[in-house]
PDB file of all heavy atoms in Angstrom:
ATOM      1  N   ILE A  16       0.870  -1.171   0.000  1.00  0.00           N
ATOM      2  CA  ILE A  16       0.000   0.000   0.000  1.00  0.00           C
ATOM      3  C   ILE A  16       0.911   1.227   0.000  1.00  0.00           C
ATOM      4  O   ILE A  16       1.811   1.341   0.838  1.00  0.00           O
ATOM      5  CB  ILE A  16      -0.905   0.021   1.252  1.00  0.00           C
ATOM      6  CG1 ILE A  16      -1.640  -1.303   1.410  1.00  0.00           C
ATOM      7  CG2 ILE A  16      -1.855   1.191   1.217  1.00  0.00           C
ATOM      8  CD1 ILE A  16      -2.412  -1.763   0.212  1.00  0.00           C
ATOM      9  N   ASP A  17       0.704   2.141  -0.940  1.00  0.00           N
ATOM     10  CA  ASP A  17       1.563   3.308  -1.051  1.00  0.00           C
ATOM     11  C   ASP A  17       1.475   4.200   0.177  1.00  0.00           C
ATOM     12  O   ASP A  17       2.486   4.585   0.751  1.00  0.00           O
ATOM     13  CB  ASP A  17       1.210   4.113  -2.306  1.00  0.00           C
ATOM     14  CG  ASP A  17       2.074   5.344  -2.468  1.00  0.00           C
ATOM     15  OD1 ASP A  17       3.304   5.212  -2.329  1.00  0.00           O
ATOM     16  OD2 ASP A  17       1.533   6.423  -2.728  1.00  0.00           O
ATOM     17  N   ARG A  18       0.251   4.510   0.613  1.00  0.00           N
ATOM     18  CA  ARG A  18       0.096   5.502   1.686  1.00  0.00           C
ATOM     19  C   ARG A  18      -1.116   5.190   2.548  1.00  0.00           C
ATOM     20  O   ARG A  18      -2.196   4.911   2.045  1.00  0.00           O
ATOM     21  CB  ARG A  18      -0.084   6.874   1.047  1.00  0.00           C
ATOM     22  CG  ARG A  18      -0.252   8.016   2.003  1.00  0.00           C
ATOM     23  CD  ARG A  18      -0.349   9.336   1.214  1.00  0.00           C
ATOM     24  NE  ARG A  18      -0.472  10.460   2.093  1.00  0.00           N
ATOM     25  CZ  ARG A  18      -1.627  10.976   2.508  1.00  0.00           C
ATOM     26  NH1 ARG A  18      -2.766  10.454   2.085  1.00  0.00           N
ATOM     27  NH2 ARG A  18      -1.654  12.005   3.321  1.00  0.00           N
ATOM     28  N   VAL A  19      -0.908   5.247   3.858  1.00  0.00           N
ATOM     29  CA  VAL A  19      -1.993   5.168   4.831  1.00  0.00           C
ATOM     30  C   VAL A  19      -1.907   6.434   5.669  1.00  0.00           C
ATOM     31  O   VAL A  19      -0.878   6.698   6.292  1.00  0.00           O
ATOM     32  CB  VAL A  19      -1.872   3.924   5.744  1.00  0.00           C
ATOM     33  CG1 VAL A  19      -2.950   3.929   6.814  1.00  0.00           C
ATOM     34  CG2 VAL A  19      -1.917   2.637   4.938  1.00  0.00           C
ATOM     35  N   ALA A  20      -2.969   7.238   5.662  1.00  0.00           N
ATOM     36  CA  ALA A  20      -3.017   8.454   6.477  1.00  0.00           C
ATOM     37  C   ALA A  20      -4.074   8.274   7.553  1.00  0.00           C
ATOM     38  O   ALA A  20      -5.202   7.897   7.262  1.00  0.00           O
ATOM     39  CB  ALA A  20      -3.329   9.666   5.620  1.00  0.00           C
ATOM     40  N   VAL A  21      -3.686   8.532   8.796  1.00  0.00           N
ATOM     41  CA  VAL A  21      -4.562   8.363   9.941  1.00  0.00           C
ATOM     42  C   VAL A  21      -4.729   9.727  10.612  1.00  0.00           C
ATOM     43  O   VAL A  21      -3.737  10.338  11.015  1.00  0.00           O
ATOM     44  CB  VAL A  21      -3.953   7.366  10.953  1.00  0.00           C
ATOM     45  CG1 VAL A  21      -4.853   7.185  12.146  1.00  0.00           C
ATOM     46  CG2 VAL A  21      -3.642   6.039  10.287  1.00  0.00           C
ATOM     47  N   THR A  22      -5.968  10.206  10.723  1.00  0.00           N
ATOM     48  CA  THR A  22      -6.232  11.457  11.435  1.00  0.00           C
ATOM     49  C   THR A  22      -6.918  11.104  12.749  1.00  0.00           C
ATOM     50  O   THR A  22      -8.025  10.558  12.755  1.00  0.00           O
ATOM     51  CB  THR A  22      -7.127  12.398  10.603  1.00  0.00           C
ATOM     52  OG1 THR A  22      -6.512  12.621   9.333  1.00  0.00           O
ATOM     53  CG2 THR A  22      -7.315  13.733  11.311  1.00  0.00           C
ATOM     54  N   TRP A  23      -6.249  11.401  13.860  1.00  0.00           N
ATOM     55  CA  TRP A  23      -6.738  11.030  15.182  1.00  0.00           C
ATOM     56  C   TRP A  23      -7.815  12.011  15.637  1.00  0.00           C
ATOM     57  O   TRP A  23      -7.715  13.211  15.393  1.00  0.00           O
ATOM     58  CB  TRP A  23      -5.573  10.961  16.166  1.00  0.00           C
ATOM     59  CG  TRP A  23      -4.591   9.912  15.760  1.00  0.00           C
ATOM     60  CD1 TRP A  23      -3.490  10.069  14.969  1.00  0.00           C
ATOM     61  CD2 TRP A  23      -4.671   8.527  16.049  1.00  0.00           C
ATOM     62  NE1 TRP A  23      -2.875   8.862  14.763  1.00  0.00           N
ATOM     63  CE2 TRP A  23      -3.573   7.898  15.422  1.00  0.00           C
ATOM     64  CE3 TRP A  23      -5.554   7.743  16.780  1.00  0.00           C
ATOM     65  CZ2 TRP A  23      -3.343   6.530  15.508  1.00  0.00           C
ATOM     66  CZ3 TRP A  23      -5.314   6.370  16.878  1.00  0.00           C
ATOM     67  CH2 TRP A  23      -4.217   5.790  16.240  1.00  0.00           C
ATOM     68  N   PRO A  24      -8.872  11.526  16.328  1.00  0.00           N
ATOM     69  CA  PRO A  24     -10.067  12.333  16.565  1.00  0.00           C
ATOM     70  C   PRO A  24      -9.907  13.564  17.469  1.00  0.00           C
ATOM     71  O   PRO A  24     -10.391  14.617  17.125  1.00  0.00           O
ATOM     72  CB  PRO A  24     -11.062  11.347  17.168  1.00  0.00           C
ATOM     73  CG  PRO A  24     -10.252  10.235  17.693  1.00  0.00           C
ATOM     74  CD  PRO A  24      -9.016  10.174  16.845  1.00  0.00           C
ATOM     75  N   THR A  25      -9.281  13.463  18.594  1.00  0.00           N
ATOM     76  CA  THR A  25      -9.250  14.583  19.529  1.00  0.00           C
ATOM     77  C   THR A  25      -8.172  15.600  19.190  1.00  0.00           C
ATOM     78  O   THR A  25      -8.417  16.801  19.190  1.00  0.00           O
ATOM     79  CB  THR A  25      -9.039  14.081  20.973  1.00  0.00           C
ATOM     80  OG1 THR A  25     -10.104  13.189  21.284  1.00  0.00           O
ATOM     81  CG2 THR A  25      -9.053  15.215  21.962  1.00  0.00           C
ATOM     82  N   THR A  26      -6.999  15.118  18.855  1.00  0.00           N
ATOM     83  CA  THR A  26      -5.867  16.022  18.619  1.00  0.00           C
ATOM     84  C   THR A  26      -5.790  16.523  17.190  1.00  0.00           C
ATOM     85  O   THR A  26      -5.166  17.533  16.929  1.00  0.00           O
ATOM     86  CB  THR A  26      -4.541  15.320  18.941  1.00  0.00           C
ATOM     87  OG1 THR A  26      -4.388  14.197  18.048  1.00  0.00           O
ATOM     88  CG2 THR A  26      -4.489  14.850  20.381  1.00  0.00           C
ATOM     89  N   GLY A  27      -6.372  15.777  16.236  1.00  0.00           N
ATOM     90  CA  GLY A  27      -6.233  16.117  14.830  1.00  0.00           C
ATOM     91  C   GLY A  27      -4.871  15.750  14.278  1.00  0.00           C
ATOM     92  O   GLY A  27      -4.551  16.029  13.123  1.00  0.00           O
ATOM     93  N   MET A  28      -4.050  15.094  15.095  1.00  0.00           N
ATOM     94  CA  MET A  28      -2.720  14.652  14.676  1.00  0.00           C
ATOM     95  C   MET A  28      -2.858  13.692  13.501  1.00  0.00           C
ATOM     96  O   MET A  28      -3.770  12.861  13.477  1.00  0.00           O
ATOM     97  CB  MET A  28      -2.009  13.956  15.835  1.00  0.00           C
ATOM     98  CG  MET A  28      -0.613  13.470  15.520  1.00  0.00           C
ATOM     99  SD  MET A  28       0.122  12.536  16.888  1.00  0.00           S
ATOM    100  CE  MET A  28      -0.036  13.688  18.225  1.00  0.00           C
ATOM    101  N   VAL A  29      -1.970  13.808  12.520  1.00  0.00           N
ATOM    102  CA  VAL A  29      -2.003  12.937  11.346  1.00  0.00           C
ATOM    103  C   VAL A  29      -0.767  12.050  11.349  1.00  0.00           C
ATOM    104  O   VAL A  29       0.358  12.539  11.460  1.00  0.00           O
ATOM    105  CB  VAL A  29      -2.072  13.754  10.042  1.00  0.00           C
ATOM    106  CG1 VAL A  29      -2.059  12.824   8.832  1.00  0.00           C
ATOM    107  CG2 VAL A  29      -3.314  14.634  10.026  1.00  0.00           C
ATOM    108  N   THR A  30      -0.974  10.757  11.229  1.00  0.00           N
ATOM    109  CA  THR A  30       0.103   9.783  11.087  1.00  0.00           C
ATOM    110  C   THR A  30       0.075   9.305   9.643  1.00  0.00           C
ATOM    111  O   THR A  30      -0.975   8.886   9.157  1.00  0.00           O
ATOM    112  CB  THR A  30      -0.119   8.579  12.029  1.00  0.00           C
ATOM    113  OG1 THR A  30      -0.200   9.040  13.377  1.00  0.00           O
ATOM    114  CG2 THR A  30       0.987   7.560  11.895  1.00  0.00           C
ATOM    115  N   VAL A  31       1.212   9.381   8.950  1.00  0.00           N
ATOM    116  CA  VAL A  31       1.295   8.926   7.565  1.00  0.00           C
ATOM    117  C   VAL A  31       2.285   7.768   7.496  1.00  0.00           C
ATOM    118  O   VAL A  31       3.429   7.888   7.935  1.00  0.00           O
ATOM    119  CB  VAL A  31       1.732  10.053   6.609  1.00  0.00           C
ATOM    120  CG1 VAL A  31       1.876   9.523   5.191  1.00  0.00           C
ATOM    121  CG2 VAL A  31       0.731  11.196   6.642  1.00  0.00           C
ATOM    122  N   LEU A  32       1.829   6.652   6.950  1.00  0.00           N
ATOM    123  CA  LEU A  32       2.657   5.463   6.779  1.00  0.00           C
ATOM    124  C   LEU A  32       2.844   5.218   5.290  1.00  0.00           C
ATOM    125  O   LEU A  32       1.926   5.415   4.502  1.00  0.00           O
ATOM    126  CB  LEU A  32       1.993   4.252   7.422  1.00  0.00           C
ATOM    127  CG  LEU A  32       1.568   4.411   8.884  1.00  0.00           C
ATOM    128  CD1 LEU A  32       0.756   3.219   9.327  1.00  0.00           C
ATOM    129  CD2 LEU A  32       2.781   4.619   9.776  1.00  0.00           C
ATOM    130  N   ARG A  33       4.019   4.758   4.894  1.00  0.00           N
ATOM    131  CA  ARG A  33       4.329   4.473   3.489  1.00  0.00           C
ATOM    132  C   ARG A  33       4.730   3.017   3.322  1.00  0.00           C
ATOM    133  O   ARG A  33       5.293   2.401   4.227  1.00  0.00           O
ATOM    134  CB  ARG A  33       5.489   5.357   3.014  1.00  0.00           C
ATOM    135  CG  ARG A  33       5.178   6.828   2.984  1.00  0.00           C
ATOM    136  CD  ARG A  33       4.283   7.126   1.831  1.00  0.00           C
ATOM    137  NE  ARG A  33       4.187   8.549   1.593  1.00  0.00           N
ATOM    138  CZ  ARG A  33       3.552   9.066   0.588  1.00  0.00           C
ATOM    139  NH1 ARG A  33       2.981   8.294  -0.287  1.00  0.00           N
ATOM    140  NH2 ARG A  33       3.461  10.356   0.438  1.00  0.00           N
ATOM    141  N   ASP A  34       4.467   2.478   2.130  1.00  0.00           N
ATOM    142  CA  ASP A  34       4.870   1.113   1.766  1.00  0.00           C
ATOM    143  C   ASP A  34       4.456   0.078   2.809  1.00  0.00           C
ATOM    144  O   ASP A  34       5.255  -0.714   3.272  1.00  0.00           O
ATOM    145  CB  ASP A  34       6.377   1.046   1.507  1.00  0.00           C
ATOM    146  CG  ASP A  34       6.778   1.912   0.332  1.00  0.00           C
ATOM    147  OD1 ASP A  34       6.028   1.925  -0.665  1.00  0.00           O
ATOM    148  OD2 ASP A  34       7.825   2.581   0.410  1.00  0.00           O
ATOM    149  N   VAL A  35       3.192   0.074   3.140  1.00  0.00           N
ATOM    150  CA  VAL A  35       2.635  -0.887   4.090  1.00  0.00           C
ATOM    151  C   VAL A  35       2.353  -2.186   3.335  1.00  0.00           C
ATOM    152  O   VAL A  35       1.798  -2.154   2.236  1.00  0.00           O
ATOM    153  CB  VAL A  35       1.331  -0.320   4.712  1.00  0.00           C
ATOM    154  CG1 VAL A  35       0.688  -1.329   5.634  1.00  0.00           C
ATOM    155  CG2 VAL A  35       1.624   0.996   5.435  1.00  0.00           C
ATOM    156  N   PRO A  36       2.734  -3.345   3.878  1.00  0.00           N
ATOM    157  CA  PRO A  36       2.504  -4.596   3.155  1.00  0.00           C
ATOM    158  C   PRO A  36       1.016  -4.900   2.983  1.00  0.00           C
ATOM    159  O   PRO A  36       0.226  -4.701   3.906  1.00  0.00           O
ATOM    160  CB  PRO A  36       3.182  -5.656   4.038  1.00  0.00           C
ATOM    161  CG  PRO A  36       3.313  -5.036   5.375  1.00  0.00           C
ATOM    162  CD  PRO A  36       3.383  -3.558   5.171  1.00  0.00           C
ATOM    163  N   ALA A  37       0.655  -5.357   1.790  1.00  0.00           N
ATOM    164  CA  ALA A  37      -0.726  -5.770   1.523  1.00  0.00           C
ATOM    165  C   ALA A  37      -0.989  -7.106   2.218  1.00  0.00           C
ATOM    166  O   ALA A  37      -0.067  -7.793   2.655  1.00  0.00           O
ATOM    167  CB  ALA A  37      -0.941  -5.898   0.018  1.00  0.00           C
ATOM    168  N   ASN A  38      -2.244  -7.480   2.314  1.00  0.00           N
ATOM    169  CA  ASN A  38      -2.654  -8.755   2.922  1.00  0.00           C
ATOM    170  C   ASN A  38      -2.109  -8.920   4.332  1.00  0.00           C
ATOM    171  O   ASN A  38      -1.610  -9.984   4.700  1.00  0.00           O
ATOM    172  CB  ASN A  38      -2.221  -9.941   2.052  1.00  0.00           C
ATOM    173  CG  ASN A  38      -2.882  -9.911   0.705  1.00  0.00           C
ATOM    174  OD1 ASN A  38      -4.076  -9.629   0.608  1.00  0.00           O
ATOM    175  ND2 ASN A  38      -2.121 -10.141  -0.337  1.00  0.00           N
ATOM    176  N   SER A  39      -2.166  -7.858   5.104  1.00  0.00           N
ATOM    177  CA  SER A  39      -1.672  -7.920   6.478  1.00  0.00           C
ATOM    178  C   SER A  39      -2.606  -7.143   7.394  1.00  0.00           C
ATOM    179  O   SER A  39      -3.364  -6.290   6.957  1.00  0.00           O
ATOM    180  CB  SER A  39      -0.258  -7.362   6.571  1.00  0.00           C
ATOM    181  OG  SER A  39      -0.232  -6.003   6.189  1.00  0.00           O
ATOM    182  N   THR A  40      -2.536  -7.478   8.659  1.00  0.00           N
ATOM    183  CA  THR A  40      -3.239  -6.730   9.686  1.00  0.00           C
ATOM    184  C   THR A  40      -2.193  -5.936  10.438  1.00  0.00           C
ATOM    185  O   THR A  40      -1.195  -6.498  10.895  1.00  0.00           O
ATOM    186  CB  THR A  40      -3.983  -7.675  10.649  1.00  0.00           C
ATOM    187  OG1 THR A  40      -4.927  -8.443   9.897  1.00  0.00           O
ATOM    188  CG2 THR A  40      -4.715  -6.907  11.728  1.00  0.00           C
ATOM    189  N   ILE A  41      -2.409  -4.626  10.545  1.00  0.00           N
ATOM    190  CA  ILE A  41      -1.429  -3.790  11.230  1.00  0.00           C
ATOM    191  C   ILE A  41      -2.073  -3.075  12.413  1.00  0.00           C
ATOM    192  O   ILE A  41      -3.283  -2.881  12.448  1.00  0.00           O
ATOM    193  CB  ILE A  41      -0.782  -2.756  10.284  1.00  0.00           C
ATOM    194  CG1 ILE A  41      -1.807  -1.756   9.754  1.00  0.00           C
ATOM    195  CG2 ILE A  41      -0.062  -3.459   9.136  1.00  0.00           C
ATOM    196  CD1 ILE A  41      -1.196  -0.596   8.985  1.00  0.00           C
ATOM    197  N   VAL A  42      -1.244  -2.709  13.385  1.00  0.00           N
ATOM    198  CA  VAL A  42      -1.678  -1.932  14.538  1.00  0.00           C
ATOM    199  C   VAL A  42      -0.940  -0.601  14.472  1.00  0.00           C
ATOM    200  O   VAL A  42       0.292  -0.572  14.340  1.00  0.00           O
ATOM    201  CB  VAL A  42      -1.356  -2.650  15.864  1.00  0.00           C
ATOM    202  CG1 VAL A  42      -1.752  -1.792  17.052  1.00  0.00           C
ATOM    203  CG2 VAL A  42      -2.048  -3.995  15.918  1.00  0.00           C
ATOM    204  N   ILE A  43      -1.697   0.493  14.552  1.00  0.00           N
ATOM    205  CA  ILE A  43      -1.123   1.828  14.477  1.00  0.00           C
ATOM    206  C   ILE A  43      -1.359   2.516  15.817  1.00  0.00           C
ATOM    207  O   ILE A  43      -2.476   2.536  16.324  1.00  0.00           O
ATOM    208  CB  ILE A  43      -1.780   2.647  13.351  1.00  0.00           C
ATOM    209  CG1 ILE A  43      -1.667   1.901  12.017  1.00  0.00           C
ATOM    210  CG2 ILE A  43      -1.157   4.032  13.256  1.00  0.00           C
ATOM    211  CD1 ILE A  43      -2.523   2.486  10.913  1.00  0.00           C
ATOM    212  N   HIS A  44      -0.303   3.086  16.386  1.00  0.00           N
ATOM    213  CA  HIS A  44      -0.393   3.815  17.649  1.00  0.00           C
ATOM    214  C   HIS A  44      -0.377   5.314  17.385  1.00  0.00           C
ATOM    215  O   HIS A  44       0.437   5.799  16.591  1.00  0.00           O
ATOM    216  CB  HIS A  44       0.796   3.467  18.560  1.00  0.00           C
ATOM    217  CG  HIS A  44       0.714   2.107  19.149  1.00  0.00           C
ATOM    218  ND1 HIS A  44       0.251   1.875  20.421  1.00  0.00           N
ATOM    219  CD2 HIS A  44       1.030   0.901  18.647  1.00  0.00           C
ATOM    220  CE1 HIS A  44       0.296   0.588  20.672  1.00  0.00           C
ATOM    221  NE2 HIS A  44       0.758  -0.037  19.608  1.00  0.00           N
ATOM    222  N   GLU A  45      -1.243   6.029  18.064  1.00  0.00           N
ATOM    223  CA  GLU A  45      -1.276   7.482  17.945  1.00  0.00           C
ATOM    224  C   GLU A  45       0.073   8.074  18.358  1.00  0.00           C
ATOM    225  O   GLU A  45       0.671   7.666  19.348  1.00  0.00           O
ATOM    226  CB  GLU A  45      -2.381   8.044  18.840  1.00  0.00           C
ATOM    227  CG  GLU A  45      -2.547   9.540  18.747  1.00  0.00           C
ATOM    228  CD  GLU A  45      -3.681  10.060  19.593  1.00  0.00           C
ATOM    229  OE1 GLU A  45      -4.249   9.300  20.400  1.00  0.00           O
ATOM    230  OE2 GLU A  45      -3.999  11.243  19.438  1.00  0.00           O
ATOM    231  N   GLY A  46       0.561   9.013  17.569  1.00  0.00           N
ATOM    232  CA  GLY A  46       1.818   9.689  17.893  1.00  0.00           C
ATOM    233  C   GLY A  46       3.068   8.985  17.415  1.00  0.00           C
ATOM    234  O   GLY A  46       4.177   9.444  17.639  1.00  0.00           O
ATOM    235  N   ARG A  47       2.912   7.858  16.721  1.00  0.00           N
ATOM    236  CA  ARG A  47       4.069   7.125  16.206  1.00  0.00           C
ATOM    237  C   ARG A  47       3.950   6.983  14.693  1.00  0.00           C
ATOM    238  O   ARG A  47       2.889   6.652  14.193  1.00  0.00           O
ATOM    239  CB  ARG A  47       4.163   5.733  16.823  1.00  0.00           C
ATOM    240  CG  ARG A  47       4.286   5.744  18.319  1.00  0.00           C
ATOM    241  CD  ARG A  47       4.433   4.332  18.834  1.00  0.00           C
ATOM    242  NE  ARG A  47       4.106   4.278  20.249  1.00  0.00           N
ATOM    243  CZ  ARG A  47       3.931   3.167  20.912  1.00  0.00           C
ATOM    244  NH1 ARG A  47       4.036   2.001  20.302  1.00  0.00           N
ATOM    245  NH2 ARG A  47       3.638   3.192  22.187  1.00  0.00           N
ATOM    246  N   ASP A  48       5.013   7.195  13.981  1.00  0.00           N
ATOM    247  CA  ASP A  48       5.018   7.038  12.516  1.00  0.00           C
ATOM    248  C   ASP A  48       5.527   5.648  12.145  1.00  0.00           C
ATOM    249  O   ASP A  48       6.378   5.505  11.281  1.00  0.00           O
ATOM    250  CB  ASP A  48       5.879   8.122  11.862  1.00  0.00           C
ATOM    251  CG  ASP A  48       5.235   9.487  11.950  1.00  0.00           C
ATOM    252  OD1 ASP A  48       3.987   9.546  11.981  1.00  0.00           O
ATOM    253  OD2 ASP A  48       5.958  10.480  12.011  1.00  0.00           O
ATOM    254  N   GLU A  49       5.011   4.662  12.826  1.00  0.00           N
ATOM    255  CA  GLU A  49       5.369   3.273  12.573  1.00  0.00           C
ATOM    256  C   GLU A  49       4.150   2.415  12.866  1.00  0.00           C
ATOM    257  O   GLU A  49       3.160   2.896  13.398  1.00  0.00           O
ATOM    258  CB  GLU A  49       6.556   2.863  13.443  1.00  0.00           C
ATOM    259  CG  GLU A  49       6.250   2.977  14.931  1.00  0.00           C
ATOM    260  CD  GLU A  49       7.460   2.761  15.809  1.00  0.00           C
ATOM    261  OE1 GLU A  49       8.585   2.843  15.306  1.00  0.00           O
ATOM    262  OE2 GLU A  49       7.272   2.493  16.997  1.00  0.00           O
ATOM    263  N   TYR A  50       4.239   1.162  12.523  1.00  0.00           N
ATOM    264  CA  TYR A  50       3.120   0.252  12.748  1.00  0.00           C
ATOM    265  C   TYR A  50       3.660  -1.118  13.099  1.00  0.00           C
ATOM    266  O   TYR A  50       4.828  -1.434  12.845  1.00  0.00           O
ATOM    267  CB  TYR A  50       2.209   0.174  11.522  1.00  0.00           C
ATOM    268  CG  TYR A  50       2.929  -0.227  10.262  1.00  0.00           C
ATOM    269  CD1 TYR A  50       3.057  -1.563   9.909  1.00  0.00           C
ATOM    270  CD2 TYR A  50       3.498   0.736   9.430  1.00  0.00           C
ATOM    271  CE1 TYR A  50       3.742  -1.931   8.762  1.00  0.00           C
ATOM    272  CE2 TYR A  50       4.176   0.380   8.278  1.00  0.00           C
ATOM    273  CZ  TYR A  50       4.283  -0.956   7.955  1.00  0.00           C
ATOM    274  OH  TYR A  50       4.957  -1.329   6.818  1.00  0.00           O
ATOM    275  N   LEU A  51       2.815  -1.950  13.653  1.00  0.00           N
ATOM    276  CA  LEU A  51       3.144  -3.324  14.011  1.00  0.00           C
ATOM    277  C   LEU A  51       2.342  -4.238  13.102  1.00  0.00           C
ATOM    278  O   LEU A  51       1.125  -4.086  12.997  1.00  0.00           O
ATOM    279  CB  LEU A  51       2.792  -3.589  15.473  1.00  0.00           C
ATOM    280  CG  LEU A  51       2.884  -5.019  15.959  1.00  0.00           C
ATOM    281  CD1 LEU A  51       4.341  -5.479  15.968  1.00  0.00           C
ATOM    282  CD2 LEU A  51       2.279  -5.157  17.337  1.00  0.00           C
ATOM    283  N   VAL A  52       3.000  -5.164  12.402  1.00  0.00           N
ATOM    284  CA  VAL A  52       2.319  -6.138  11.557  1.00  0.00           C
ATOM    285  C   VAL A  52       2.046  -7.366  12.416  1.00  0.00           C
ATOM    286  O   VAL A  52       2.956  -7.941  13.004  1.00  0.00           O
ATOM    287  CB  VAL A  52       3.171  -6.529  10.324  1.00  0.00           C
ATOM    288  CG1 VAL A  52       2.466  -7.600   9.503  1.00  0.00           C
ATOM    289  CG2 VAL A  52       3.491  -5.316   9.483  1.00  0.00           C
ATOM    290  N   LEU A  53       0.770  -7.754  12.513  1.00  0.00           N
ATOM    291  CA  LEU A  53       0.398  -8.929  13.283  1.00  0.00           C
ATOM    292  C   LEU A  53       0.635 -10.190  12.455  1.00  0.00           C
ATOM    293  O   LEU A  53       0.323 -10.224  11.267  1.00  0.00           O
ATOM    294  CB  LEU A  53      -1.064  -8.850  13.701  1.00  0.00           C
ATOM    295  CG  LEU A  53      -1.435  -7.671  14.588  1.00  0.00           C
ATOM    296  CD1 LEU A  53      -2.919  -7.729  14.923  1.00  0.00           C
ATOM    297  CD2 LEU A  53      -0.608  -7.652  15.850  1.00  0.00           C
ATOM    298  N   ASP A  54       1.159 -11.212  13.084  1.00  0.00           N
ATOM    299  CA  ASP A  54       1.405 -12.494  12.425  1.00  0.00           C
ATOM    300  C   ASP A  54       0.060 -13.174  12.185  1.00  0.00           C
ATOM    301  O   ASP A  54      -0.698 -13.379  13.125  1.00  0.00           O
ATOM    302  CB  ASP A  54       2.286 -13.358  13.313  1.00  0.00           C
ATOM    303  CG  ASP A  54       2.689 -14.656  12.660  1.00  0.00           C
ATOM    304  OD1 ASP A  54       2.360 -14.869  11.476  1.00  0.00           O
ATOM    305  OD2 ASP A  54       3.340 -15.479  13.306  1.00  0.00           O
TER     306      ASP A  54
END
């Protein structure tokens, strides 16, 4: 996936992720520009 943009509700903070693997489940934490891929 080229781009995932996450806009968080209270702060309006935007997290942008690039080159996310397809066919995966990911966990995104507010305030971090990284993600965790679940096995």
Side-chain angles (χ1 to χ4, degrees):
I16 308 307
D17 180 47
R18 180 177 182 269
V19 176
V21 180
T22 304
W23 298 92
T25 301
T26 62
M28 181 185 305
V29 178
T30 302
V31 177
L32 307 172
R33 295 286 192 175
D34 297 320
V35 177
N38 297 318
S39 62
T40 300
I41 64 171
V42 177
I43 304 168
H44 287 262
E45 183 177 9
R47 301 182 199 168
D48 289 331
E49 61 188 17
Y50 56 89
L51 172 68
V52 177
L53 299 180
D54 185 4

